[in-house]
């Protein structure tokens, strides 16, 4: 399994997970998986339908919120927040490296006033991920 990066008690992010990882995630206590990769981004990644099936088979909720850096919309941020809010337990969000997943979360934290935009670089660095995309999104969208 790819390395899991714990952001807080509710959210962890990771790079691409494999279908067999869903059983491991359930065993670790995760309750939901969010896939932030567009369909077919790489030929070797599982399809969203396959991930949804693996999640259901292992008692996990599944959400597909596909984004690329330039395509992120505020609705994508809110969709991720909604999954976190309605899930009673830890959630894993994944993309190719974990950066897009953390970017969605970080944008929401800034929009909702729980984090300052100037804190993004240190926040990302503390998790080994680059938050320049979140900062650029906030700049483009007037925040």
């Amino acid at each position: 399994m790819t390395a899991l990066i714990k952001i807080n008690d509710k959210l962890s992010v990771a790079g691409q997970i494999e279908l067999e990882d869903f059983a491991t995630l359930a065993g670790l206590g995760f309750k939901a998986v969010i896939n932030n990769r567009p369909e077919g981004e790489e030929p070797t990644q599982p399809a969203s339908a396959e991930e949804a099936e693996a999640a259901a088979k292992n008692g996990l909720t599944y959400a597909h919120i596909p984004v690329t850096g330039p395509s992120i919309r505020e609705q994508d941020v809110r969709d991720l927040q909604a999954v976190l809010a309605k899930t009673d337990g830890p959630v894993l969000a994944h993309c190719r490296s974990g950066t897009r997943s953390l970017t969605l979360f970080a944008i929401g934290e800034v929009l909702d006033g729980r984090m300052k935009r100037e804190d993004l670089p240190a926040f990302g660095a503390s998790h080994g991920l680059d938050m320049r995309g979140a900062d650029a999104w906030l700049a483009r969208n007037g925040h």
Side-chain angles (χ1 to χ4, degrees):
M1 176 185 284
T2 187
L4 305 180
I5 302 168
K6 185 174 181 176
I7 306 307
N8 57 37
D9 287 341
K10 191 70 170 196
L11 177 67
S12 293
V13 299
Q16 179 64 55
I17 58 175
E18 301 302 326
L19 297 177
E20 58 270 14
D21 295 335
F22 283 82
T24 303
L25 291 168
L28 291 171
F30 283 90
K31 302 298 181 192
V33 172
I34 301 170
N35 175 3
N36 294 129
R37 295 191 81 179
E39 230 20 94
E41 188 173 48
E42 288 179 351
T44 57
Q45 80 187 61
S48 179
E50 294 173 311
E51 286 198 19
E53 184 179 318
K57 188 169 113 178
N58 289 284
L60 299 168
T61 301
Y62 177 78
H64 190 210
I65 307 169
V67 296
T68 61
S71 76
I72 292 173
R73 304 166 300 137
E74 184 172 345
Q75 187 59 54
D76 300 318
V77 172
R78 300 304 180 195
D79 289 348
L80 181 129
Q81 289 177 324
V83 173
L84 291 172
K86 73 180 178 189
T87 303
D88 186 22
V91 175
L92 175 73
H94 80 83
C95 56
R96 187 179 336 193
S97 68
T99 300
R100 278 176 279 180
S101 297
L102 188 59
T103 294
L104 288 171
F105 175 76
I107 289 169
E109 292 299 285
V110 173
L111 291 178
D112 294 346
R114 290 183 293 273
M115 184 187 304
K116 293 183 177 155
R117 186 172 156 202
E118 56 267 23
D119 295 334
L120 286 171
F123 175 71
S126 72
H127 298 294
L129 297 169
D130 186 345
M131 290 292 95
R132 283 182 291 191
D135 186 59
W137 187 94
L138 289 159
R140 276 193 315 272
N141 291 278
H143 300 283

